[in-house]
Amino acid sequence: MKSIYLASASLALLLAGASCSEKYDIYPEEYSKVMMFKDSGAHDFTVYSPHSVAAFPISVMKGGWNPDATSGAKVRVMTEEEFNDWLLESGAGYSYLPNNCYSFTESGQTLELPLEFKGGEGYKTLALNVFPPALGEFLETYTDASRTPVIPLVLEGSDGLIDANGNEMFIIPEYKEPSVGFLNGGVKMLEDGEKSFTFNIGLPFESEWDITAKVEVDPSVLEEYNANEGTSMGLMPAEAYSGVTDVAINKGAESASMTVNIDLDKAGFRNAIPLRITTLSLDGFEIGESTALVGIDNASGFKIDITADMLYANDCYSGDGKGVPGLCDGDFSTHFHSWYGSNARNFDEFGSYIEFTLPKEIQEIGFDHANRQSYNNGHVKRVKLYAWNGTDWVEFADCNAYGKVLLDRFDVASVGSFHCPFKFNKFRYCVVEADGGSLIGKTTAFWSCGEIVVYGR
């Protein structure tokens, strides 16, 4: 709830009188000393479960035309009967928080606090202590979703005027388990040549305990990212990075750091390290932002020059575009087109494919796949990759990221990297689905492509 701030005619008199001391006689005696909450109204207050006490600060102001006057007041908790009367009048959606959950002292149940202003004193500060263990216990069984529990305070004067529009305050405690999480998590893509990133893990306040967050590599974080973003980044090899470790936040600190270092000679390209905070060393804490991902592209250094004599297509319509050479001529405005027409073709599990014979053996591969620019159809949606192991074709990748990226004729999908369990120099780039449907079995679906750039190592 937004804090409520109130002003009043008497406060205006109070402030005006302070600058007109030579004319005290024009003001009634009752305005010689006027008191009010500095911030009356409603205030949210977050308390955390591990704390035994959480102090809410309160300020009471004193003014009037006689600043040298002494005055007395008290701040107290409304009785439940008073509060219920106030509810009937105001219609507010509040309920009365039991008074075992708070006190003006750090122990016991002190529900009112006297204030004495000396001459020249303009304000007093105090605190209402909220007890998170008692609050948490109460909220466990609280079921009225239509009303918010509050602590209702009232300011009363024993010697002096109380501003009627600044004499009530309502504290709305919000009980939370504090979270420990990545403070700079999310997805961090390093620039080419960068080889480290420092993550910060912390709490929302200075820790009163030694607490350790266990950080682990979790491939499911990368799988979820690829599925949501239409990407196909690979999992970075474990030998290519270091620094993923438990992070200890010491008592008195709000955070601690973990630097992940990457060996670019071993990291490959278009790979990422997906991280998750899995456990905390202390009970009573939640894991906040639990995941992070640091990745690299670096594909440009692994480009393989492809020529048409390295390619074979099982499904090419030479009358549309440049045929197979259109896939590797370096000109994205030319294109390759598969067969199309009213007569259905019948494909096996490889679908409509391009077979590549590379000039060297590789084990990691990625692509830039450009749409045909001259016409806006035949977009590829799904590709499978098969490598030749000397005896059989072995599937090692199945990527549907194309369908989330290749939506317009000028789009380019940067896919991979994909890792094969063995080295190969011959593979099949199998288009198994395009925007016209499946290319497995009997079909009239087709695909086209402006260029396929190959990266590998």
Side-chain angles (χ1 to χ4, degrees), residues 66-125:
N66 186 4
D68 294 327
T70 61
S71 60
K74 67 178 176 181
V75 179
R76 66 174 179 85
V77 179
M78 288 184 190
T79 66
E80 195 162 0
E81 183 179 358
E82 288 173 323
F83 179 75
N84 289 334
D85 290 341
W86 178 86
L87 278 184
L88 287 174
E89 183 179 339
S90 67
Y94 293 157
S95 64
Y96 192 82
L97 186 65
N99 54 33
N100 68 311
C101 296
Y102 46 86
S103 172
F104 285 108
T105 53
E106 291 193 9
S107 61
Q109 291 181 336
T110 304
L111 302 181
E112 65 176 59
L113 193 67
L115 302 175
E116 294 294 333
F117 285 92
K118 298 177 181 178
E121 278 189 304
Y123 66 92
K124 287 280 190 181
T125 58

Side-chain angles (χ1 to χ4, degrees), residues 46-51 174-183 200-209 211 249 252-256 280 284-289:
T46 301
V47 301
Y48 293 100
S49 57
H51 292 147
E174 182 181 8
Y175 179 84
K176 285 186 176 181
E177 289 190 344
S179 62
V180 178
F182 286 105
L183 302 179
N200 296 315
I201 295 174
L203 300 90
F205 51 79
E206 186 177 290
S207 180
E208 298 175 24
W209 313 269
I211 183 169
I249 304 169
E254 290 188 16
S255 64
L280 302 173
F285 292 82
E286 293 180 339
I287 297 176
E289 185 172 354

Side-chain angles (χ1 to χ4, degrees), residues 303-326:
K303 184 176 180 292
I304 298 175
D305 292 329
I306 301 295
T307 56
D309 60 340
M310 302 177 187
L311 309 181
Y312 162 77
N314 75 330
D315 179 33
C316 176
Y317 186 33
S318 58
D320 193 334
K322 287 184 64 174
V324 167

Side-chain angles (χ1 to χ4, degrees), residues 354-370:
I354 307 296
E355 187 172 303
F356 289 72
T357 301
L358 301 177
K360 62 178 181 179
E361 286 192 329
I362 60 173
Q363 201 166 348
E364 179 183 349
I365 195 167
F367 308 94
D368 289 338
H369 179 116

Side-chain angles (χ1 to χ4, degrees), residues 35 67 208 220 232 294 320 338 372 382-383 399 432 438 443 452:
M35 291 164 286
E208 298 175 24
S220 70
S232 52
V294 57
D320 193 334
S338 72
R372 171 190 178 181
R382 183 180 172 195
V383 171
C399 179
V432 296
S438 172
T443 182
I452 297 178

